[in-house]
């Protein structure tokens, strides 16, 4: 079929093909160069966190919304997937009290330091595992549990929790007391534990409780 084409047509087709190949090759080289040469010591993502890399291969994340600073260091066994970290959480509160003599403003700054590790996968999946001193997770002085519920705008003082009924018997009062101490109204959906309880009825109960909670 190729030889049946006129010489002029074949020449034109060859020219188009070679021009297209050269253009694609240049484009690929440009893309490869762009990707391989792109380096930055500071980046940001949609969560508002800034990430800064230092010469010692440590990375620092800061979140101005929550007052959290995290320093991550790659572990030797898996330097691209597992990082140890130290986390500093700074929380400031201001209390204004009117006295007969004057208006007294008290500003309190609480600094909490924790450590842990982060696992990162290429899917991408990443999560932090915070190491908390034994017996302090439900201590109102430890803000880690409250911080784990995510950052919420000022005045949003409600949370929803699904609790195993055995945990509720053992620690339910402490869990509720923890959030109450932080001025948080906790709505708990208590479910039986164990594999037999993992049925559609459990999902229905959670959905009903979420409706009552008025999730928004």
């Amino acid at each position: 079929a190729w030889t049946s084409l006129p010489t002029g047509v074949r020449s034109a087709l060859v020219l188009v093909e070679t021009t297209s190949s050269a253009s694609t090759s240049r484009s690929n080289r440009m893309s490869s160069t762009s990707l391989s040469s792109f380096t930055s010591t500071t980046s940001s993502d949609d969560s508002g966190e800034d990430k800064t890399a230092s010469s010692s291969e440590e990375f620092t994340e800061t979140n101005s919304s929550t007052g959290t600073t995290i320093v991550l260091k790659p572990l030797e066994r898996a330097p691209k997937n597992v990082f140890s970290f130290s986390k500093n959480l700074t929380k400031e509160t201001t209390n204004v009290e009117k006295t007969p003599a004057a208006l007294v403003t008290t500003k309190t700054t609480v600094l909490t330091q924790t450590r842990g590790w982060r696992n990162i996968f290429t899917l991408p999946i990443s999560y932090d595992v915070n190491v908390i001193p034994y017996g302090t997770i439900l201590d109102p002085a430890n803000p880690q549990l409250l911080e784990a519920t995510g950052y919420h705008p000022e005045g949003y003082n409600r949370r929803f929790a699904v609790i195993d009924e055995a945990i509720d018997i053992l620690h339910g009062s402490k869990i509720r007391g923890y959030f109450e101490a932080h001025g948080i109204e906790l709505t708990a959906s208590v479910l039986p534990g164990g594999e037999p309880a993992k049925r559609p009825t459990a999902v229905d109960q959670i959905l009903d409780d979420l409706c009552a909670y008025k999730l928004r």
Side-chain angles (χ1 to χ4, degrees):
W2 174 258
T3 56
S4 65
L5 295 174
T7 303
V9 174
R10 284 186 289 175
S11 298
L13 291 173
V14 170
L15 179 62
V16 171
E17 181 65 24
T18 54
T19 302
S20 176
S21 298
S23 176
T24 302
S25 176
R26 285 195 301 270
S27 177
N28 289 340
R29 286 199 301 271
M30 290 175 64
S31 298
S32 176
T33 302
S34 176
L35 289 172
S36 62
S37 63
F38 179 78
T39 58
S40 176
T41 56
T42 304
S43 63
S44 63
D45 54 29
D46 294 338
S47 64
E49 294 183 345
D50 294 330
K51 302 179 181 180
T52 305
S54 67
S55 58
S56 61
E57 295 184 344
E58 290 185 347
F59 294 84
T60 301
E61 295 181 356
T62 58
N63 190 317
S64 57
S65 298
T66 61
T68 304
T69 300
I70 305 177
V71 179
L72 299 108
K73 185 174 182 179
L75 297 186
E76 185 177 354
R77 70 175 187 270
K80 294 183 179 181
N81 301 99
V82 184
F83 297 79
S84 64
F85 69 74
S86 59
K87 179 188 297 185
N88 292 333
L89 173 63
T90 303
K91 185 175 182 180
E92 295 184 349
T93 58
T94 302
N95 182 50
V96 180
E97 183 179 357
K98 186 176 182 180
T99 66
L103 194 65
V104 179
T105 302
T106 304
K107 186 175 182 180
T108 304
T109 301
V110 178
L111 176 62
T112 305
Q113 296 179 318
T114 59
R115 59 188 180 87
W117 69 89
R118 174 178 297 179
N119 295 321
I120 299 176
F121 302 91
T122 56
L123 288 178
I125 298 174
S126 72
Y127 58 87
D128 292 356
V129 179
N130 293 293
V131 179
I132 299 174
Y134 177 78
T136 66
I137 184 64
L138 296 178
D139 184 345
N142 186 342
Q144 292 298 307
L145 181 58
L146 183 61
E147 183 191 0
T149 65
Y151 173 72
H152 298 278
E154 189 70 24
Y156 186 77
N157 298 324
R158 302 167 62 238
R159 299 293 190 275
F160 181 88
V162 179
I163 306 176
D164 184 297
E165 64 179 7
I167 298 299
D168 190 54
I169 293 172
L170 295 173
H171 307 290
S173 60
K174 289 185 178 180
I175 294 173
R176 292 168 177 80
Y178 176 91
F179 286 97
E180 183 179 350
H182 287 280
I184 302 296
E185 178 187 348
L186 181 68
T187 299
S189 180
V190 180
L191 298 174
E195 292 298 321
K198 296 179 181 179
R199 296 291 183 268
T201 52
V203 178
D204 291 340
Q205 179 180 334
I206 294 174
L207 292 177
D208 289 342
D209 291 342
L210 282 171
C211 288
Y213 174 71
K214 297 181 179 179
L215 181 66
R216 58 180 181 177

